[in-house]
Amino acid sequence: MPALFVSDLDGTLIQTDERLSPFARDGLARLLSAGLPFTVASARSVASMRPILAGLPLALPVIEFNGTMITWLDHDEREFCHVLNPTAARAAVEAGHRAGTPPFVSTGAANAADDGLYVPRDRNEGMEQYLASRTAAGDHRLWPGAPLEEGLDGCAICLTFIGRRADLEPLARLVTERHPGAFSTSFFENAYAPGWWWLTLHPPLATKAEAVAVGNAVPELRDQADEVIGPVADDAVVRWLASRWPCTSSSA
């Protein structure tokens, strides 16, 4: 039976330093060279994934923003791009402004080189941390001086609200209650900045599913998984892939 292997990145394939370990990089390189049909599905953008996956011979496009877009890593062409409903997106941005937590607005295009990341003028510490990380990475999408409304005039694909849990929970309820079915919503604590929570709004068709959970996954996911493997610290995903795909080297 034809197989396709898809892995998440954060908390699954990469370590807490947001990198592949040398073991994982070498193992994946060998497996991919041996023909492993593999790609990644992440909440990250292709701009954020590219430094992590650089040098790996990926023959398949990657899945961005939790399924919002499918993009070729090496030449930026897109297979498809879901966009947010403009009316619902504007209402969510206005609600964020009223709550004192305006979002970052991500836009997508037919080619990833034309993507945008619009930055709110009023920012808390968590937002500043995210902006600093994107600036340090040289993210070409950044439009730090442009108004958020300019991003909403284009093809908005994601709204990212960053704040404390107590501040974002009411906003999450408000958005989902007033605009049922308009968004695929994620609400989580940023593992790289504890105490800061992210509320992300994607188009409703943007979803991803997992059949294998790593050992450090949340209990709710482990309970639903077909199989639970070791933790990310042990590079369990690469070890699991190596056990199921013939490779010229058994050291992985």
Side-chain angles (χ1 to χ4, degrees):
M1 178 182 296
L4 172 64
F5 300 93
V6 183
S7 175
D8 194 6
L9 282 177
D10 296 279
T12 304
L13 193 62
I14 62 176
Q15 301 297 320
T16 54
D17 61 359
E18 301 186 63
R19 298 179 182 180
L20 288 166
S21 72
F23 175 89
R25 179 172 293 280
D26 291 346
L28 274 178
R30 285 193 297 270
L31 289 163
L32 289 165
S33 296
L36 176 74
F38 172 85
T39 191
V40 298
S42 175
R44 291 174 178 260
S45 68
V46 71
S48 179
M49 285 189 269
R50 187 172 283 118
I52 297 170
L53 303 173
L56 291 177
L58 281 169
L60 297 172
V62 296
I63 301 166
E64 301 180 71
F65 285 100
N66 285 336
T68 299
M69 300 181 288
I70 292 183
T71 309
W72 293 94
L73 198 65
D74 56 348
H75 56 73
D76 284 342
E77 295 295 327
R78 289 228 158 85
E79 292 297 316
F80 71 79
C81 175
H82 295 303
V83 298
L84 292 167
N85 176 284
T87 301
R90 287 183 181 279
V93 170
E94 291 171 2
H97 277 296
R98 291 194 298 271
T101 313
F104 290 82
V105 178
S106 300
T107 62
N111 189 291
D114 298 321
D115 290 350
L117 178 57
Y118 292 79
V119 180
R121 291 191 175 94
D122 298 324
R123 300 186 293 270
N124 57 39
E125 182 183 342
M127 297 158 75
E128 292 287 5
Q129 290 175 2
Y130 174 60
L131 177 58
S133 71
R134 292 291 83 222
T135 301
D139 195 328
H140 74 277
R141 301 173 301 148
L142 284 171
W143 290 85
L148 298 186
E149 290 70 23
E150 186 175 313
L152 295 172
D153 288 338
C155 296
I157 58 162
C158 179
L159 305 180
T160 303
F161 302 84
I162 301 175
R164 299 300 186 185
R165 182 173 186 173
D167 297 324
L168 290 186
E169 279 183 328
L171 180 61
R173 289 194 298 269
L174 176 68
V175 168
T176 54
E177 289 171 1
R178 292 192 176 179
H179 305 280
F183 303 109
S184 174
T185 304
S186 296
F187 186 47
F188 57 93
E189 185 176 18
N190 182 358
Y192 307 112
W196 291 103
W197 285 68
W198 286 32
L199 168 63
T200 61
L201 305 182
H202 298 91
L205 294 178
T207 60
K208 62 182 180 180
E210 298 177 67
V212 176
V214 290
N216 53 282
V218 296
E220 294 84 356
L221 177 58
R222 293 200 304 269
D223 291 343
Q224 297 298 318
D226 298 326
E227 182 178 353
V228 178
I229 59 178
V232 62
D234 292 340
D235 289 314
V237 170
V238 176
R239 297 179 189 277
W240 184 89
L241 290 170
S243 72
R244 283 158 174 78
W245 192 257
C247 189
T248 54
S249 170
S250 60
S251 61

